[in-house]
Amino acid sequence: MRPKRKSPTVLSAVAAILGQTTWARAEAVERPTISAIILSISPRTVRWATVHELPDPGEDDPYYHVEVIEKERHTPPWQFKRLATHVVVTADALNRSRSRQKARTYFYKDIEFRIAYQNWRAQPLPQREAGVCRTTILECVGIAGKPD
């Protein structure tokens, strides 16, 4: 004996009670891509840029948005220095800034970055364009060539 099939109405009612709809498709939610770019390594320190926002041509924003961190090697992860909370970088400047060396990096809470990014977005376009880093990230934050 075959069990009785439930009607679509009953299935819809159960789905509505559970806060779901029967016609919704499950899709993977894409998490923002956050990556670290090593800027410089010495025996004493590591400097890196955490890329938080990728270029979005649809939003009239063709730039990368990064946070710049410096950490002394062999210290606990919570001992670090934020060199810049928000730097707007061209793709060329990001590539010129990248070191080929490998190092351990950490991801820190990005509250300061988010506030600085929102402030940047609120500025008029000419002001936003004026602050774009076009050389290297370390030059733009004013520490290029300084000893560690």
Side-chain angles (χ1 to χ4, degrees):
M1 177 180 251
R2 294 181 77 188
K4 213 175 189 184
R5 293 184 72 192
K6 304 238 191 267
S7 73
T9 307
V10 172
L11 292 175
S12 294
V14 170
I17 290 169
L18 295 176
Q20 301 170 347
T21 57
T22 56
W23 59 83
R25 289 189 350 223
E27 294 181 16
V29 176
E30 189 175 322
R31 294 188 69 203
T33 304
I34 298 176
S35 61
I37 310 281
I38 302 296
L39 303 175
S40 70
I41 297 177
S42 75
R44 204 169 134 223
T45 61
V46 177
R47 294 180 182 129
W48 70 88
T50 303
V51 179
H52 288 282
E53 295 287 332
L54 302 177
D56 188 356
E59 296 263 339
D60 197 27
D61 182 8
Y63 306 113
Y64 290 87
H65 297 267
V66 303
E67 174 181 33
V68 184
I69 306 289
E70 177 181 83
K71 184 181 169 317
E72 288 191 32
R73 297 176 94 173
H74 312 297
T75 60
W78 58 87
Q79 293 178 356
F80 68 96
K81 182 178 179 183
R82 214 174 240 114
L83 298 176
T85 55
H86 178 241
V87 180
V88 184
V89 184
T90 64
D92 287 340
L94 188 70
N95 287 333
R96 278 193 294 274
S97 301
R98 187 183 311 261
S99 171
R100 301 288 179 229
Q101 296 176 301
K102 304 280 185 207
R104 183 178 184 133
T105 60
Y106 301 90
F107 293 101
Y108 299 106
K109 289 185 179 180
D110 63 351
I111 295 166
E112 293 90 350
F113 170 82
R114 295 284 168 206
I115 292 168
Y117 176 69
Q118 288 173 349
N119 290 338
W120 179 82
R121 296 284 300 166
Q123 293 177 350
L125 189 58
Q127 277 183 301
R128 284 193 274 169
E129 287 290 324
V132 174
C133 177
R134 299 177 192 283
T135 55
T136 68
I137 294 171
L138 291 179
E139 286 179 46
C140 291
V141 297
I143 60 168
K146 290 188 179 178
D148 294 328

